[in-house]
């Protein structure tokens, strides 16, 4: 399905409690050293083997064991640029599409119900728990917040390699929590803990996504098309025309694509807004001095992305 839409305002979040100590989030998290369950211990998460991780004053927890090498995680400046651009509503139609996919997909049971190995999951009574929305590579938590607005009984957990991003993601929504983690590594999460997973412009660890997603859960993946921001040329990363095909191939061992929506609309930006857009992306790591000094006063770009929905493949079939 293709939808051409006009930008709309962002959605306000309801006032409810959350954070890394929220029951559904705490039960989902696992110690990144030994895999044991966590318990809240003051301003920290501590496992039964004594491994402890402080909860930052901003409300997130850093589960990494070493510093992140320079140039791999979004810098504070990149995160600030992303927050400014997204808060201005430029990608609100895309966030709306993510929220629609999460809400609609969560309401539709998988054909035939859960697969026979559902009881392998650590959560035996998932229906009695609030839904958990996991955003892998969440950035500032902008899309996670939109999904939580659409799922009023859900809590959310943002994972991102950037501590600066997690500081913002932990405050993106009253029901959001955040943890610093490299999503290419085994996720510090229980089997079958997430009912909805989001992956927006971020790396995809298909095997781990399959492990932590409930058998009746959904994965919502957002990828740019070859037309996305194409007007900016070399100032943004070029999109492989086969990206959508390669995405499906990469996930196909564990997931079936069941729905997709294309979101396309024009965006009129000032020079300062264009600068912010470029500075929030991965090319910001490689910009030469003065590269953005000659931007025109007004720029018209195309936002063009695919919002795809996947369900777990029946691996016994």
């Amino acid at each position: 399905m293709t939808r051409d839409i006009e930008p709309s305002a962002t959605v306000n979040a309801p006032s409810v409690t959350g954070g890394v100590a929220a029951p559904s989030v705490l039960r989902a998290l696992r110690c990144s050293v030994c895999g044991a369950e966590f318990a809240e211990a003051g301003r920290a998460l501590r496992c039964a083997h004594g491994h402890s991780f402080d909860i930052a004053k901003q409300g997130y927890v850093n589960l990494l064991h070493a510093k992140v090498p320079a140039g791999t995680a979004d810098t504070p400046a990149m995160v600030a640029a992303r927050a400014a651009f997204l808060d201005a509503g430029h990608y609100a139609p895309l966030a709306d599409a993510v929220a629609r996919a999460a809400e609609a997909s969560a309401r539709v049971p998988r054909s035939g119900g859960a697969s026979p190995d559902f009881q392998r999951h650590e959560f035996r009574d998932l229906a009695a728990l609030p839904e958990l929305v996991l955003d892998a590579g969440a950035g500032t938590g902008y899309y996670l917040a939109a999904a939580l607005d659409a799922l009023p009984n859900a809590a959310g957990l943002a994972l991102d390699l950037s501590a600066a991003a997690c500081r913002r993601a932990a405050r993106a929504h009253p029901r959001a929590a955040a943890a610093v983690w490299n999503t290419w590594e085994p996720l510090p999460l229980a089997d079958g803990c997430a009912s909805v997973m989001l992956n927006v412009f971020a790396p995809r660890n298909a095997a781990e996504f399959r492990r932590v997603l409930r058998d009746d859960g959904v994965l919502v993946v957002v990828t740019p098309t070859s037309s996305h921001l194409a007007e900016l040329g070399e100032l943004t990363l070029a999109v492989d025309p086969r990206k959508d095909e390669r995405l499906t191939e990469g996930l196909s061992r564990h997931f079936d694509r069941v729905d997709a929506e294309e979101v396309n609309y024009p965006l009129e930006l000032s020079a300062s807004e264009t600068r912010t857009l470029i500075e929030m992306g991965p090319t910001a790591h490689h910009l030469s001095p003065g590269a953005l000094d000659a931007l025109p006063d007004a720029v018209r770009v195309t936002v063009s992305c695919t919002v795809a929905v996947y369900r777990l493949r029946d691996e016994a079939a």
Side-chain angles (χ1 to χ4, degrees):
M1 172 169 64
T2 300
R3 181 184 293 265
D4 296 297
I5 44 186
E6 296 298 325
S8 60
T10 54
V11 183
N12 293 323
S15 179
V16 290
T17 58
V20 291
S24 55
V25 174
L26 191 59
R27 290 189 63 177
L29 285 169
R30 291 292 180 266
C31 177
S32 56
V33 177
C34 66
E37 296 182 17
F38 276 127
E40 186 181 7
R43 291 294 302 171
L45 301 183
R46 183 171 296 140
C47 77
H49 298 110
H51 303 124
S52 182
F53 299 86
D54 291 338
I55 301 174
K57 64 181 180 180
Q58 295 90 351
Y60 72 96
V61 62
N62 190 335
L63 297 177
L64 293 175
H65 314 138
K67 290 185 177 180
V68 176
T72 56
D74 288 350
T75 65
M78 292 168 66
V79 172
R82 180 172 293 112
F85 190 85
L86 295 176
D87 289 350
H90 297 306
Y91 279 3
L94 186 56
D96 291 342
V98 170
R100 284 194 303 273
E103 192 274 338
S105 299
R107 285 190 288 104
V108 180
R110 186 182 183 190
S111 176
S115 63
D117 68 344
F118 184 78
Q119 290 301 314
R120 74 180 175 82
H121 291 321
E122 297 175 35
F123 288 173
R124 295 296 191 266
D125 191 17
L126 285 166
L129 292 171
E131 301 284 307
L132 179 65
V133 181
L134 174 65
D135 192 343
T140 63
Y142 178 74
Y143 301 99
L144 176 61
L148 291 176
D149 279 336
L151 299 169
N153 294 322
L157 176 60
L159 296 181
D160 200 276
L161 186 58
S162 168
C166 284
R167 291 187 193 104
R168 292 183 182 267
R171 297 174 291 173
H173 193 282
R175 284 180 273 126
V180 181
W181 190 250
N182 181 356
T183 56
W184 284 121
E185 299 293 330
L187 302 179
L189 295 165
D191 291 351
C193 63
S195 51
V196 177
M197 288 192 67
L198 308 180
N199 182 254
V200 184
F201 304 135
R204 288 166 292 278
N205 187 339
E208 280 296 281
F209 288 3
R210 193 265 175 268
R211 181 183 67 80
V212 303
L213 189 64
R214 282 170 46 167
D215 284 351
D216 60 347
V218 294
L219 169 65
V220 179
V221 180
V222 178
T223 52
T225 74
S226 58
S227 299
H228 183 60
L229 306 181
E231 296 87 349
L232 296 179
E234 295 181 355
L235 293 176
T236 60
L237 293 180
V239 178
D240 183 349
R242 293 186 63 249
K243 186 177 183 69
D244 194 56
E245 180 183 344
R246 289 190 298 104
L247 167 63
T248 301
E249 291 174 354
L251 294 174
S252 62
R253 180 177 177 183
H254 303 286
F255 295 91
D256 289 320
R257 179 163 158 168
V258 296
D259 197 10
E261 175 183 340
E262 288 190 12
V263 179
N264 302 286
Y265 60 94
L267 204 55
E268 302 283 350
L269 302 175
S270 66
S272 63
E273 290 171 330
T274 305
R275 174 185 288 269
T276 301
L277 171 60
I278 296 168
E279 290 176 339
M280 79 182 198
T283 53
H285 286 298
H286 314 291
L287 288 174
S288 58
L292 305 182
D293 289 347
L295 289 173
D297 292 338
V299 177
R300 182 183 176 92
V301 298
T302 301
V303 176
S304 180
C305 299
T306 301
V307 180
V309 177
Y310 294 83
R311 289 190 180 272
L312 293 178
R313 169 165 288 186
D314 186 351
E315 296 176 353

